[in-house]
Amino acid sequence: MNGLTSSAKPAGAGLSLGKDLLGLELLSREQIQLILDTAEPFKAVSERAIKKVPTLRGKTIVNLFYEASTRTRVSFEFAEKRLSADTVNIAASGSSVEKGENLVDTARNLEAMRIDMVVIRHPSSGAAKFLAERIPSNVINAGDGWHEHPTQALLDLLSIRDKLGSLEGVKVCICGDILHSRVARSNIWGLLKMGAEVGVCGPKSLLPRGVESLGAHVFSHIEEAIAWADVLNVLRLQLERMQGGYIPSLGEYNRVFGITEERLENAPKELVVLHPGPMNRGVEIDSKVADGPHSVILHQVTNGVAVRMAILYLLAGGTAERASLHGAKDEIGEVG
Amino acid sequence: MGKMWLGGGRVIDPSQRIDEIANVLIQDGRIEAVGRDIQAPDDAQVIDVSGQVVAPGLIDVHVHFREPGKEDAETIGTGARSAAAGGFTSVCTMPNTTPVTDNPAAIGFALKQAEVAGAARVLPIGAITLGQEGKQLAEIGKLVDAGAVAISDDGHPVESSHMMRTALEYAQIFDIPVADHCEEPTLAKGGSMHEGVVSTRLGLKGIPSAAEEIMVARDVILAELTGGHVHLCHMSTRGSVDIIRRAKEHGIKVTAEVTPHHLVLTHDMCDGYDTNSKMNPPLREAEDVEALQEALKDGTIDMIATDHAPHHYEQKERDFAEAPFGIIGLETALPVMLADLVETGIVDLPSLILRMSTEPAKAFRIDGGTLRRGSPADVVVFDPKVKGKVDVTRFKSKSRNTPFGGREIMGRILRTIVAGRTVFDAGSE
């Protein structure tokens, strides 16, 4: 698994993402394809000794995080720095946000300092769109409430494509707390648009009303889901779901829905297992699975940087042709 | 006070089953006569209303004017003028002000502010419980003495069934309705829109229809137990309609209202996180809209009420989950209903007047909703056929939070008369 099965045929010339990346529901298949294909040459940048290209030199990017995040924030920051952008991180705690400043005012103040892009993580669904409609900078949604987490889904798609060669016809089951999951929603849109089949599996109390109307098969038993799927995307079970009265206990959850080695051994085919992290080992996923041959979990993390580089590059006006036809080295250029 | 003669209009008065071209004579603030042969006295103000509709002034039993507490969103004065501009001659103000209208002094304050405004009549509703906290009954007798026409903890449901039972028993002494905002709090908690496919797509916590229906069922059962009059605020679901229909068949004293927005809009309006489509109860599904329209037609739902809920611009200028519930409705209610219910043939014009004037007066024992001789000269004159679009910049209300901005509507309110005095005249706008 080297992740470089590059099918990098540049998708539709002249295609762009528009001003913002808010969610996969809003993107076309061609746009998703464009991002995935553009990510391919960027994978190589991170494999070099000098992991830096001058693509976004002189651009200023603000990472505005209203929720705690390690993986996503660091992944964005690496992507930005490897593209030579200047970056500022703002966390909600310790900033003017904590003093009661609202989102619009925060954004307008940043805008007044002449920034180019904002990466926003916010606990409210729709917050990224709200921001994007009010400032001229590019806005990238790094997760809004339960709504969407498009960069996570794109790196999931890329990881599945790396492993299986294509997304067309692949059966992906998203397992766990679908109700509260932005990762699930973005994956459903992205996978369906790319021609995959999507299943969801979890306790009925954690499945959103009418999820089947989005186009997903619903499984209430994990064994059925495993028998059906080629890929399992296992979501983190938030510990507070127990207090919320959605499930009786973590132990019970593991017994009924946990992805265990035994369950995978009984599967009719070899499954690929994804997890967006951070994992609760022994709850939704057993260590033997997480660390075993089915898992592409660390590959997802590696792909995360490449996908985010591709998105930053495309939103800044880059094209797939320049990124891939000439190859990352020549056109994206090495820092001299 | 002088005389006014409204000549040649289509007079619609459901309380007397009148729908004919006739003249209306007003004298000393009261209706003096209605008829084809009524001539204008020499000393009367003569107003030609031919081609227009003359009807008893509209009555809205459910509005929120934010005074005291949030005067930046609405005052009793701006609210009363907004009502007059919408053809309403009486409005009942909900008590969820800051502080809560749970004492006779607060009722007196509201009446005083309304008098100063001199627009639509303001009939305050008192709180059921002190501070609307659901713990201790307000002094309901004193509230009624001061001028309260009903009691309600609207904005909050009455959580305790025991408290609701007590209120329904106690209110019978004063012959007033107990108006309840039906919402089972543990099911509704944290929700910001209807629970359905749209909330699933948007990733917003939903409020299931069951949250309303459970409390509707409870209230109906308690009304039967106590013999009290329960008034169910802003009904929004098919299931609620079914429960009310059965309750009425059993002779239980229940009345119910529905808002114009629940009669014509669905949860699809929340797409794009439009906070002007966020209200409680939330906009529901097409089958609910259909059931509500049917219920209005057959009388299961007695009346239309706006739940006029002003919010300052910056309050709605937030992400969806954080924004407050509520939209304004006084100045759009009649034109939206004319366009969406009358023009489409769902109800006829006399039925609309019945549901917006006669029935609310009856349910809340308000002296109005009729053009009978001797009753207060509260009258609306409107052109039912002119087409237009909702222009929020022309609102008399201090607030602009409506999902109807730019919507195609029908009808224009030309004149609103309260106690024989013109309080709104489109011609002088």
Side-chain angles (χ1 to χ4, degrees), chain A residues 25 122 124-126 129-130 134 146-147 185 189 208-209 213-214, chain B residues 195-197 200-205 208 272-273 317-319 322:
Chain A
E25 184 183 2
H122 198 282
S124 289
S125 298
K129 177 175 191 287
F130 179 88
R134 283 160 182 81
W146 309 345
H147 177 227
R185 285 175 178 79
W189 295 121
R209 187 88 160 262
S213 71
L214 304 185
Chain B
E195 181 182 296
V197 292
T200 289
R201 261 186 35 234
L202 295 177
L204 291 167
K205 183 156 180 6
Y273 302 96
E317 179 73 356
R318 294 198 210 171
D319 60 79
E322 289 292 316

PDB file of all heavy atoms in Angstrom, chain A residues 25 122 124-126 129-130 134 146-147 185 189 208-209 213-214, chain B residues 195-197 200-205 208 272-273 317-319 322:
ATOM      1  N   GLU A  25     -22.159  17.860   0.089  1.00  0.00           N
ATOM      2  CA  GLU A  25     -23.500  17.892  -0.505  1.00  0.00           C
ATOM      3  C   GLU A  25     -23.534  18.885  -1.657  1.00  0.00           C
ATOM      4  O   GLU A  25     -24.264  18.708  -2.623  1.00  0.00           O
ATOM      5  CB  GLU A  25     -24.548  18.273   0.554  1.00  0.00           C
ATOM      6  CG  GLU A  25     -25.967  18.226  -0.001  1.00  0.00           C
ATOM      7  CD  GLU A  25     -27.048  18.659   0.982  1.00  0.00           C
ATOM      8  OE1 GLU A  25     -26.717  19.038   2.113  1.00  0.00           O
ATOM      9  OE2 GLU A  25     -28.231  18.609   0.584  1.00  0.00           O
ATOM     10  N   HIS A 122     -16.380  24.626  14.103  1.00  0.00           N
ATOM     11  CA  HIS A 122     -17.354  25.293  14.978  1.00  0.00           C
ATOM     12  C   HIS A 122     -18.387  24.270  15.457  1.00  0.00           C
ATOM     13  O   HIS A 122     -18.771  23.377  14.701  1.00  0.00           O
ATOM     14  CB  HIS A 122     -18.049  26.420  14.198  1.00  0.00           C
ATOM     15  CG  HIS A 122     -18.739  27.434  15.061  1.00  0.00           C
ATOM     16  ND1 HIS A 122     -19.958  27.185  15.643  1.00  0.00           N
ATOM     17  CD2 HIS A 122     -18.390  28.686  15.436  1.00  0.00           C
ATOM     18  CE1 HIS A 122     -20.321  28.249  16.349  1.00  0.00           C
ATOM     19  NE2 HIS A 122     -19.391  29.180  16.236  1.00  0.00           N
ATOM     20  N   SER A 124     -21.524  24.643  15.883  1.00  0.00           N
ATOM     21  CA  SER A 124     -22.878  24.807  15.337  1.00  0.00           C
ATOM     22  C   SER A 124     -22.931  24.434  13.856  1.00  0.00           C
ATOM     23  O   SER A 124     -22.134  24.925  13.052  1.00  0.00           O
ATOM     24  CB  SER A 124     -23.331  26.259  15.466  1.00  0.00           C
ATOM     25  OG  SER A 124     -23.582  26.573  16.804  1.00  0.00           O
ATOM     26  N   SER A 125     -23.911  23.607  13.508  1.00  0.00           N
ATOM     27  CA  SER A 125     -24.150  23.274  12.107  1.00  0.00           C
ATOM     28  C   SER A 125     -24.457  24.557  11.336  1.00  0.00           C
ATOM     29  O   SER A 125     -25.231  25.388  11.796  1.00  0.00           O
ATOM     30  CB  SER A 125     -25.333  22.314  11.991  1.00  0.00           C
ATOM     31  OG  SER A 125     -25.059  21.108  12.664  1.00  0.00           O
ATOM     32  N   GLY A 126     -23.853  24.695  10.179  1.00  0.00           N
ATOM     33  CA  GLY A 126     -24.112  25.871   9.347  1.00  0.00           C
ATOM     34  C   GLY A 126     -23.167  27.026   9.620  1.00  0.00           C
ATOM     35  O   GLY A 126     -23.220  28.045   8.919  1.00  0.00           O
ATOM     36  N   LYS A 129     -20.908  28.044   6.595  1.00  0.00           N
ATOM     37  CA  LYS A 129     -21.692  28.736   5.563  1.00  0.00           C
ATOM     38  C   LYS A 129     -21.998  30.166   6.001  1.00  0.00           C
ATOM     39  O   LYS A 129     -21.876  31.114   5.224  1.00  0.00           O
ATOM     40  CB  LYS A 129     -22.992  27.971   5.314  1.00  0.00           C
ATOM     41  CG  LYS A 129     -23.919  28.615   4.314  1.00  0.00           C
ATOM     42  CD  LYS A 129     -25.122  27.695   4.061  1.00  0.00           C
ATOM     43  CE  LYS A 129     -25.954  28.157   2.877  1.00  0.00           C
ATOM     44  NZ  LYS A 129     -26.726  29.362   3.177  1.00  0.00           N
ATOM     45  N   PHE A 130     -22.372  30.294   7.253  1.00  0.00           N
ATOM     46  CA  PHE A 130     -22.679  31.608   7.821  1.00  0.00           C
ATOM     47  C   PHE A 130     -21.493  32.551   7.630  1.00  0.00           C
ATOM     48  O   PHE A 130     -21.640  33.683   7.181  1.00  0.00           O
ATOM     49  CB  PHE A 130     -22.994  31.419   9.309  1.00  0.00           C
ATOM     50  CG  PHE A 130     -23.309  32.677  10.068  1.00  0.00           C
ATOM     51  CD1 PHE A 130     -24.614  33.151  10.122  1.00  0.00           C
ATOM     52  CD2 PHE A 130     -22.323  33.373  10.732  1.00  0.00           C
ATOM     53  CE1 PHE A 130     -24.909  34.307  10.821  1.00  0.00           C
ATOM     54  CE2 PHE A 130     -22.613  34.529  11.443  1.00  0.00           C
ATOM     55  CZ  PHE A 130     -23.908  34.994  11.490  1.00  0.00           C
ATOM     56  N   ARG A 134     -20.462  35.997   4.675  1.00  0.00           N
ATOM     57  CA  ARG A 134     -20.236  37.342   5.223  1.00  0.00           C
ATOM     58  C   ARG A 134     -18.836  37.892   5.026  1.00  0.00           C
ATOM     59  O   ARG A 134     -18.583  39.038   5.357  1.00  0.00           O
ATOM     60  CB  ARG A 134     -20.599  37.329   6.717  1.00  0.00           C
ATOM     61  CG  ARG A 134     -22.111  37.355   6.901  1.00  0.00           C
ATOM     62  CD  ARG A 134     -22.538  36.872   8.272  1.00  0.00           C
ATOM     63  NE  ARG A 134     -24.000  36.870   8.367  1.00  0.00           N
ATOM     64  CZ  ARG A 134     -24.786  35.913   7.887  1.00  0.00           C
ATOM     65  NH1 ARG A 134     -24.265  34.874   7.263  1.00  0.00           N
ATOM     66  NH2 ARG A 134     -26.097  36.002   7.995  1.00  0.00           N
ATOM     67  N   TRP A 146     -23.042  18.944  13.633  1.00  0.00           N
ATOM     68  CA  TRP A 146     -23.276  17.582  13.149  1.00  0.00           C
ATOM     69  C   TRP A 146     -23.396  17.568  11.632  1.00  0.00           C
ATOM     70  O   TRP A 146     -23.794  16.582  11.047  1.00  0.00           O
ATOM     71  CB  TRP A 146     -24.598  17.020  13.713  1.00  0.00           C
ATOM     72  CG  TRP A 146     -24.778  17.113  15.179  1.00  0.00           C
ATOM     73  CD1 TRP A 146     -23.823  17.367  16.136  1.00  0.00           C
ATOM     74  CD2 TRP A 146     -26.018  16.947  15.892  1.00  0.00           C
ATOM     75  NE1 TRP A 146     -24.389  17.356  17.377  1.00  0.00           N
ATOM     76  CE2 TRP A 146     -25.729  17.103  17.264  1.00  0.00           C
ATOM     77  CE3 TRP A 146     -27.333  16.660  15.502  1.00  0.00           C
ATOM     78  CZ2 TRP A 146     -26.726  16.995  18.247  1.00  0.00           C
ATOM     79  CZ3 TRP A 146     -28.316  16.553  16.467  1.00  0.00           C
ATOM     80  CH2 TRP A 146     -28.011  16.725  17.832  1.00  0.00           C
ATOM     81  N   HIS A 147     -23.093  18.705  11.006  1.00  0.00           N
ATOM     82  CA  HIS A 147     -23.457  18.878   9.602  1.00  0.00           C
ATOM     83  C   HIS A 147     -22.482  18.213   8.636  1.00  0.00           C
ATOM     84  O   HIS A 147     -22.799  17.188   8.043  1.00  0.00           O
ATOM     85  CB  HIS A 147     -23.605  20.373   9.308  1.00  0.00           C
ATOM     86  CG  HIS A 147     -23.899  20.697   7.897  1.00  0.00           C
ATOM     87  ND1 HIS A 147     -23.226  21.680   7.212  1.00  0.00           N
ATOM     88  CD2 HIS A 147     -24.785  20.167   7.028  1.00  0.00           C
ATOM     89  CE1 HIS A 147     -23.710  21.745   5.975  1.00  0.00           C
ATOM     90  NE2 HIS A 147     -24.653  20.837   5.840  1.00  0.00           N
ATOM     91  N   ARG A 185     -22.232  12.319   7.619  1.00  0.00           N
ATOM     92  CA  ARG A 185     -22.986  13.034   6.586  1.00  0.00           C
ATOM     93  C   ARG A 185     -22.112  13.342   5.372  1.00  0.00           C
ATOM     94  O   ARG A 185     -22.514  13.141   4.230  1.00  0.00           O
ATOM     95  CB  ARG A 185     -23.596  14.307   7.167  1.00  0.00           C
ATOM     96  CG  ARG A 185     -24.810  14.004   8.053  1.00  0.00           C
ATOM     97  CD  ARG A 185     -25.348  15.259   8.728  1.00  0.00           C
ATOM     98  NE  ARG A 185     -26.536  14.966   9.529  1.00  0.00           N
ATOM     99  CZ  ARG A 185     -26.512  14.413  10.752  1.00  0.00           C
ATOM    100  NH1 ARG A 185     -25.370  14.071  11.304  1.00  0.00           N
ATOM    101  NH2 ARG A 185     -27.637  14.190  11.403  1.00  0.00           N
ATOM    102  N   TRP A 189     -22.634  11.801   1.384  1.00  0.00           N
ATOM    103  CA  TRP A 189     -22.721  12.583   0.140  1.00  0.00           C
ATOM    104  C   TRP A 189     -21.588  12.229  -0.808  1.00  0.00           C
ATOM    105  O   TRP A 189     -21.806  11.987  -1.998  1.00  0.00           O
ATOM    106  CB  TRP A 189     -22.665  14.086   0.443  1.00  0.00           C
ATOM    107  CG  TRP A 189     -23.823  14.613   1.226  1.00  0.00           C
ATOM    108  CD1 TRP A 189     -23.757  15.233   2.448  1.00  0.00           C
ATOM    109  CD2 TRP A 189     -25.210  14.568   0.873  1.00  0.00           C
ATOM    110  NE1 TRP A 189     -25.023  15.576   2.862  1.00  0.00           N
ATOM    111  CE2 TRP A 189     -25.928  15.184   1.925  1.00  0.00           C
ATOM    112  CE3 TRP A 189     -25.914  14.062  -0.216  1.00  0.00           C
ATOM    113  CZ2 TRP A 189     -27.321  15.314   1.916  1.00  0.00           C
ATOM    114  CZ3 TRP A 189     -27.291  14.188  -0.225  1.00  0.00           C
ATOM    115  CH2 TRP A 189     -27.983  14.800   0.827  1.00  0.00           C
ATOM    116  N   PRO A 208     -30.082   9.142  12.480  1.00  0.00           N
ATOM    117  CA  PRO A 208     -30.985  10.287  12.278  1.00  0.00           C
ATOM    118  C   PRO A 208     -32.255   9.879  11.525  1.00  0.00           C
ATOM    119  O   PRO A 208     -32.237   8.965  10.704  1.00  0.00           O
ATOM    120  CB  PRO A 208     -30.152  11.266  11.469  1.00  0.00           C
ATOM    121  CG  PRO A 208     -29.061  10.475  10.858  1.00  0.00           C
ATOM    122  CD  PRO A 208     -28.855   9.253  11.697  1.00  0.00           C
ATOM    123  N   ARG A 209     -33.322  10.573  11.846  1.00  0.00           N
ATOM    124  CA  ARG A 209     -34.624  10.329  11.223  1.00  0.00           C
ATOM    125  C   ARG A 209     -34.507  10.464   9.709  1.00  0.00           C
ATOM    126  O   ARG A 209     -33.997  11.454   9.204  1.00  0.00           O
ATOM    127  CB  ARG A 209     -35.589  11.389  11.772  1.00  0.00           C
ATOM    128  CG  ARG A 209     -37.019  11.220  11.381  1.00  0.00           C
ATOM    129  CD  ARG A 209     -37.748  10.320  12.348  1.00  0.00           C
ATOM    130  NE  ARG A 209     -39.175  10.562  12.225  1.00  0.00           N
ATOM    131  CZ  ARG A 209     -39.855  11.358  13.046  1.00  0.00           C
ATOM    132  NH1 ARG A 209     -39.254  11.945  14.055  1.00  0.00           N
ATOM    133  NH2 ARG A 209     -41.134  11.552  12.866  1.00  0.00           N
ATOM    134  N   SER A 213     -33.504   8.209   3.398  1.00  0.00           N
ATOM    135  CA  SER A 213     -33.892   9.101   2.304  1.00  0.00           C
ATOM    136  C   SER A 213     -32.680   9.798   1.683  1.00  0.00           C
ATOM    137  O   SER A 213     -32.769  10.348   0.601  1.00  0.00           O
ATOM    138  CB  SER A 213     -34.894  10.144   2.798  1.00  0.00           C
ATOM    139  OG  SER A 213     -34.243  11.074   3.640  1.00  0.00           O
ATOM    140  N   LEU A 214     -31.543   9.766   2.374  1.00  0.00           N
ATOM    141  CA  LEU A 214     -30.332  10.319   1.781  1.00  0.00           C
ATOM    142  C   LEU A 214     -29.724   9.330   0.783  1.00  0.00           C
ATOM    143  O   LEU A 214     -28.818   9.679   0.038  1.00  0.00           O
ATOM    144  CB  LEU A 214     -29.296  10.642   2.868  1.00  0.00           C
ATOM    145  CG  LEU A 214     -29.708  11.578   3.999  1.00  0.00           C
ATOM    146  CD1 LEU A 214     -28.515  11.873   4.904  1.00  0.00           C
ATOM    147  CD2 LEU A 214     -30.283  12.879   3.468  1.00  0.00           C
TER     148      LEU A 214
ATOM    149  N   GLU B 195     -37.955  17.681  13.476  1.00  0.00           N
ATOM    150  CA  GLU B 195     -37.162  16.471  13.272  1.00  0.00           C
ATOM    151  C   GLU B 195     -37.683  15.737  12.046  1.00  0.00           C
ATOM    152  O   GLU B 195     -38.810  15.257  12.021  1.00  0.00           O
ATOM    153  CB  GLU B 195     -37.268  15.560  14.504  1.00  0.00           C
ATOM    154  CG  GLU B 195     -36.451  14.292  14.366  1.00  0.00           C
ATOM    155  CD  GLU B 195     -36.600  13.370  15.566  1.00  0.00           C
ATOM    156  OE1 GLU B 195     -36.198  13.771  16.666  1.00  0.00           O
ATOM    157  OE2 GLU B 195     -37.142  12.269  15.388  1.00  0.00           O
ATOM    158  N   GLY B 196     -36.846  15.692  11.027  1.00  0.00           N
ATOM    159  CA  GLY B 196     -37.244  15.040   9.784  1.00  0.00           C
ATOM    160  C   GLY B 196     -36.068  15.004   8.835  1.00  0.00           C
ATOM    161  O   GLY B 196     -34.920  15.182   9.253  1.00  0.00           O
ATOM    162  N   VAL B 197     -36.347  14.802   7.559  1.00  0.00           N
ATOM    163  CA  VAL B 197     -35.232  14.634   6.618  1.00  0.00           C
ATOM    164  C   VAL B 197     -34.408  15.912   6.473  1.00  0.00           C
ATOM    165  O   VAL B 197     -33.201  15.847   6.230  1.00  0.00           O
ATOM    166  CB  VAL B 197     -35.713  14.152   5.220  1.00  0.00           C
ATOM    167  CG1 VAL B 197     -36.237  12.741   5.315  1.00  0.00           C
ATOM    168  CG2 VAL B 197     -36.760  15.067   4.632  1.00  0.00           C
ATOM    169  N   THR B 200     -32.064  16.144   9.398  1.00  0.00           N
ATOM    170  CA  THR B 200     -31.037  15.119   9.194  1.00  0.00           C
ATOM    171  C   THR B 200     -29.971  15.623   8.229  1.00  0.00           C
ATOM    172  O   THR B 200     -28.779  15.481   8.472  1.00  0.00           O
ATOM    173  CB  THR B 200     -31.691  13.825   8.672  1.00  0.00           C
ATOM    174  OG1 THR B 200     -32.441  13.260   9.747  1.00  0.00           O
ATOM    175  CG2 THR B 200     -30.666  12.822   8.182  1.00  0.00           C
ATOM    176  N   ARG B 201     -30.389  16.241   7.147  1.00  0.00           N
ATOM    177  CA  ARG B 201     -29.434  16.767   6.166  1.00  0.00           C
ATOM    178  C   ARG B 201     -28.612  17.908   6.728  1.00  0.00           C
ATOM    179  O   ARG B 201     -27.422  17.998   6.509  1.00  0.00           O
ATOM    180  CB  ARG B 201     -30.178  17.243   4.923  1.00  0.00           C
ATOM    181  CG  ARG B 201     -30.158  16.228   3.805  1.00  0.00           C
ATOM    182  CD  ARG B 201     -30.771  16.765   2.518  1.00  0.00           C
ATOM    183  NE  ARG B 201     -30.524  18.164   2.305  1.00  0.00           N
ATOM    184  CZ  ARG B 201     -31.472  19.070   2.085  1.00  0.00           C
ATOM    185  NH1 ARG B 201     -32.729  18.708   2.059  1.00  0.00           N
ATOM    186  NH2 ARG B 201     -31.158  20.324   1.888  1.00  0.00           N
ATOM    187  N   LEU B 202     -29.280  18.810   7.448  1.00  0.00           N
ATOM    188  CA  LEU B 202     -28.581  19.992   7.948  1.00  0.00           C
ATOM    189  C   LEU B 202     -27.755  19.693   9.191  1.00  0.00           C
ATOM    190  O   LEU B 202     -26.953  20.516   9.614  1.00  0.00           O
ATOM    191  CB  LEU B 202     -29.591  21.100   8.258  1.00  0.00           C
ATOM    192  CG  LEU B 202     -30.360  21.674   7.063  1.00  0.00           C
ATOM    193  CD1 LEU B 202     -31.369  22.717   7.531  1.00  0.00           C
ATOM    194  CD2 LEU B 202     -29.411  22.297   6.048  1.00  0.00           C
ATOM    195  N   GLY B 203     -27.979  18.527   9.797  1.00  0.00           N
ATOM    196  CA  GLY B 203     -27.238  18.214  11.015  1.00  0.00           C
ATOM    197  C   GLY B 203     -27.696  19.049  12.196  1.00  0.00           C
ATOM    198  O   GLY B 203     -26.894  19.436  13.035  1.00  0.00           O
ATOM    199  N   LEU B 204     -28.990  19.326  12.252  1.00  0.00           N
ATOM    200  CA  LEU B 204     -29.539  20.091  13.374  1.00  0.00           C
ATOM    201  C   LEU B 204     -30.386  19.178  14.246  1.00  0.00           C
ATOM    202  O   LEU B 204     -31.054  18.270  13.743  1.00  0.00           O
ATOM    203  CB  LEU B 204     -30.401  21.245  12.852  1.00  0.00           C
ATOM    204  CG  LEU B 204     -29.645  22.373  12.151  1.00  0.00           C
ATOM    205  CD1 LEU B 204     -30.598  23.297  11.414  1.00  0.00           C
ATOM    206  CD2 LEU B 204     -28.802  23.166  13.146  1.00  0.00           C
ATOM    207  N   LYS B 205     -30.384  19.436  15.548  1.00  0.00           N
ATOM    208  CA  LYS B 205     -31.202  18.618  16.429  1.00  0.00           C
ATOM    209  C   LYS B 205     -32.661  18.944  16.181  1.00  0.00           C
ATOM    210  O   LYS B 205     -33.047  20.110  16.149  1.00  0.00           O
ATOM    211  CB  LYS B 205     -30.839  18.862  17.883  1.00  0.00           C
ATOM    212  CG  LYS B 205     -31.618  17.958  18.844  1.00  0.00           C
ATOM    213  CD  LYS B 205     -30.882  17.790  20.148  1.00  0.00           C
ATOM    214  CE  LYS B 205     -31.526  16.923  21.198  1.00  0.00           C
ATOM    215  NZ  LYS B 205     -32.716  16.178  20.973  1.00  0.00           N
ATOM    216  N   PRO B 208     -39.308  16.523  17.553  1.00  0.00           N
ATOM    217  CA  PRO B 208     -40.268  15.629  16.907  1.00  0.00           C
ATOM    218  C   PRO B 208     -41.702  16.118  17.096  1.00  0.00           C
ATOM    219  O   PRO B 208     -42.012  16.795  18.081  1.00  0.00           O
ATOM    220  CB  PRO B 208     -40.043  14.294  17.626  1.00  0.00           C
ATOM    221  CG  PRO B 208     -39.454  14.654  18.949  1.00  0.00           C
ATOM    222  CD  PRO B 208     -38.676  15.936  18.741  1.00  0.00           C
ATOM    223  N   GLY B 272     -30.499  25.928   4.081  1.00  0.00           N
ATOM    224  CA  GLY B 272     -29.647  27.112   4.021  1.00  0.00           C
ATOM    225  C   GLY B 272     -29.533  27.805   5.359  1.00  0.00           C
ATOM    226  O   GLY B 272     -28.987  28.889   5.453  1.00  0.00           O
ATOM    227  N   TYR B 273     -30.073  27.172   6.390  1.00  0.00           N
ATOM    228  CA  TYR B 273     -29.975  27.703   7.758  1.00  0.00           C
ATOM    229  C   TYR B 273     -30.563  29.107   7.875  1.00  0.00           C
ATOM    230  O   TYR B 273     -29.951  30.008   8.444  1.00  0.00           O
ATOM    231  CB  TYR B 273     -28.510  27.703   8.239  1.00  0.00           C
ATOM    232  CG  TYR B 273     -27.863  26.337   8.227  1.00  0.00           C
ATOM    233  CD1 TYR B 273     -27.086  25.910   7.163  1.00  0.00           C
ATOM    234  CD2 TYR B 273     -28.045  25.464   9.298  1.00  0.00           C
ATOM    235  CE1 TYR B 273     -26.498  24.657   7.149  1.00  0.00           C
ATOM    236  CE2 TYR B 273     -27.450  24.206   9.302  1.00  0.00           C
ATOM    237  CZ  TYR B 273     -26.680  23.814   8.225  1.00  0.00           C
ATOM    238  OH  TYR B 273     -26.088  22.575   8.223  1.00  0.00           O
ATOM    239  N   GLU B 317     -29.048  37.259  13.457  1.00  0.00           N
ATOM    240  CA  GLU B 317     -27.835  37.218  12.634  1.00  0.00           C
ATOM    241  C   GLU B 317     -26.801  36.322  13.319  1.00  0.00           C
ATOM    242  O   GLU B 317     -25.753  36.771  13.777  1.00  0.00           O
ATOM    243  CB  GLU B 317     -27.336  38.668  12.463  1.00  0.00           C
ATOM    244  CG  GLU B 317     -26.069  38.870  11.654  1.00  0.00           C
ATOM    245  CD  GLU B 317     -26.232  38.681  10.166  1.00  0.00           C
ATOM    246  OE1 GLU B 317     -27.323  38.315   9.718  1.00  0.00           O
ATOM    247  OE2 GLU B 317     -25.243  38.886   9.449  1.00  0.00           O
ATOM    248  N   ARG B 318     -27.143  35.052  13.427  1.00  0.00           N
ATOM    249  CA  ARG B 318     -26.287  34.090  14.120  1.00  0.00           C
ATOM    250  C   ARG B 318     -26.439  32.738  13.451  1.00  0.00           C
ATOM    251  O   ARG B 318     -27.296  32.553  12.610  1.00  0.00           O
ATOM    252  CB  ARG B 318     -26.767  33.906  15.559  1.00  0.00           C
ATOM    253  CG  ARG B 318     -26.637  35.117  16.421  1.00  0.00           C
ATOM    254  CD  ARG B 318     -26.715  34.651  17.856  1.00  0.00           C
ATOM    255  NE  ARG B 318     -27.286  35.657  18.711  1.00  0.00           N
ATOM    256  CZ  ARG B 318     -27.622  35.431  19.972  1.00  0.00           C
ATOM    257  NH1 ARG B 318     -27.478  34.227  20.483  1.00  0.00           N
ATOM    258  NH2 ARG B 318     -28.116  36.380  20.699  1.00  0.00           N
ATOM    259  N   ASP B 319     -25.609  31.816  13.899  1.00  0.00           N
ATOM    260  CA  ASP B 319     -25.811  30.473  13.366  1.00  0.00           C
ATOM    261  C   ASP B 319     -27.144  29.924  13.887  1.00  0.00           C
ATOM    262  O   ASP B 319     -27.659  30.374  14.908  1.00  0.00           O
ATOM    263  CB  ASP B 319     -24.636  29.559  13.724  1.00  0.00           C
ATOM    264  CG  ASP B 319     -24.448  29.415  15.198  1.00  0.00           C
ATOM    265  OD1 ASP B 319     -25.193  28.640  15.804  1.00  0.00           O
ATOM    266  OD2 ASP B 319     -23.551  30.094  15.751  1.00  0.00           O
ATOM    267  N   GLU B 322     -28.063  28.815  17.503  1.00  0.00           N
ATOM    268  CA  GLU B 322     -27.941  29.868  18.509  1.00  0.00           C
ATOM    269  C   GLU B 322     -29.039  30.913  18.391  1.00  0.00           C
ATOM    270  O   GLU B 322     -29.353  31.604  19.363  1.00  0.00           O
ATOM    271  CB  GLU B 322     -26.581  30.569  18.358  1.00  0.00           C
ATOM    272  CG  GLU B 322     -25.394  29.731  18.773  1.00  0.00           C
ATOM    273  CD  GLU B 322     -25.375  29.474  20.272  1.00  0.00           C
ATOM    274  OE1 GLU B 322     -25.613  30.416  21.036  1.00  0.00           O
ATOM    275  OE2 GLU B 322     -25.135  28.317  20.663  1.00  0.00           O
TER     276      GLU B 322
END
